[in-house]
């Protein structure tokens, strides 16, 4: 058995969805595949809109001004979505833990996975390891998974643009 804590991949998947919202349900499901989720989801025509609600709720966590507020929002998310942890061996991946019921809808599964994953990410790496890109006017989400905990930009492009802006400001 291996422990699947959902941490890093779940928070990176949520940031990816928030920063580049898919135009349809198939795009959301493909993004879950890109980040390693293998389960299939029953199709519901409301999945796209409901998953957007999940992401909007998660963005309130990203934008929470204090660690206490972030924790309160995450606790509410987990209480609403997570089920008792359960052992599963779906898709021949080996036994691992799920923090949700087995046959839930795509939005419900993502709410549970993202909430638990974000919580694990923040308690293991630090409550400040989630925020917005420091390169104005960019507002992309930054999920800091670096070793030193100093990631402030969503991309190299934003980091370079901000460095040029600071350099020009010093010269004038």
């Amino acid at each position: 058995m291996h422990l699947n804590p959902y941490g890093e991949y779940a928070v990176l998947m949520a940031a990816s969805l928030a920063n580049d919202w898919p135009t349809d349900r198939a795009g959301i499901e493909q993004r879950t595949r890109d980040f390693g989720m293998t389960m299939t989801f029953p199709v519901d025509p409301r999945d796209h809109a409901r998953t957007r609600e999940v992401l909007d709720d998660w963005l309130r966590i990203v934008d929470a001004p204090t660690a206490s507020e972030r924790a309160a929002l995450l606790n509410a998310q987990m209480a609403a979505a997570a089920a008792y942890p359960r052992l599963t061996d779906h898709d021949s991946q080996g036994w691992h833990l799920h923090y949700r019921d087995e046959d839930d809808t795509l939005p419900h599964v993502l709410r549970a996975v993202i909430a638990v994953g974000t919580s694990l990410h923040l308690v293991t790496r630090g409550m400040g390891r989630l925020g917005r890109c420091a390169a104005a006017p960019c507002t992309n989400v930054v999920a800091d998974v670096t070793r030193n905990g100093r990631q402030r930009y969503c991309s190299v492009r934003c980091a370079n643009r901000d460095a040029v802006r600071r350099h020009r400001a010093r010269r004038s």
Side-chain angles (χ1 to χ4, degrees):
M1 181 181 92
H2 67 280
L3 178 63
N4 181 357
Y6 295 130
E8 185 174 310
Y9 97 85
V11 76
L12 290 174
M13 178 180 62
S16 172
L17 288 167
N19 294 340
D20 183 20
W21 179 243
T23 58
D24 57 17
R25 185 197 185 281
I28 297 168
E29 192 161 3
Q30 182 56 51
R31 194 75 54 85
T32 68
R33 304 275 177 264
D34 294 346
F35 281 88
M37 292 181 74
T38 60
M39 68 179 289
T40 57
F41 302 98
V43 176
D44 184 312
R46 299 166 295 181
D47 283 349
H48 189 260
R50 287 184 173 171
T51 303
R52 182 69 239 183
E53 291 171 8
V54 169
L55 263 290
D56 289 343
D57 288 345
W58 183 74
L59 288 172
R60 285 190 265 291
I61 294 163
V62 171
D63 295 330
T66 67
S68 294
E69 290 176 63
R70 184 170 275 173
L73 290 167
L74 275 166
N75 284 337
Q77 290 277 321
M78 288 187 292
Y84 291 105
R86 66 186 72 240
L87 290 171
T88 184
D89 186 24
H90 68 83
D91 302 328
S92 300
Q93 290 185 341
W95 289 102
H96 59 282
L97 284 174
H98 275 187
Y99 300 91
R100 54 173 174 70
D101 292 325
E102 288 303 319
D103 294 321
D104 279 332
T105 64
L106 174 64
H108 193 268
V109 168
L110 289 181
R111 184 177 300 278
V113 167
I114 290 169
V116 171
T118 300
S119 298
L120 288 168
H121 172 74
L122 295 175
V123 298
T124 58
R125 293 184 182 255
M127 290 298 282
R129 295 284 200 113
L130 188 60
R132 298 288 184 156
C133 183
C138 183
T139 60
N140 279 349
V141 173
V142 176
D144 184 356
V145 295
T146 63
R147 189 175 247 172
N148 66 8
R150 294 192 177 127
Q151 185 175 351
R152 297 177 39 218
Y153 302 99
C154 67
S155 66
V156 172
R157 180 176 183 222
C158 277
N160 288 341
R161 189 177 69 230
D162 201 44
V164 168
R165 183 193 55 77
R166 288 191 319 270
H167 174 74
R168 288 179 179 159
R170 281 192 303 270
R171 290 185 64 193
S172 51

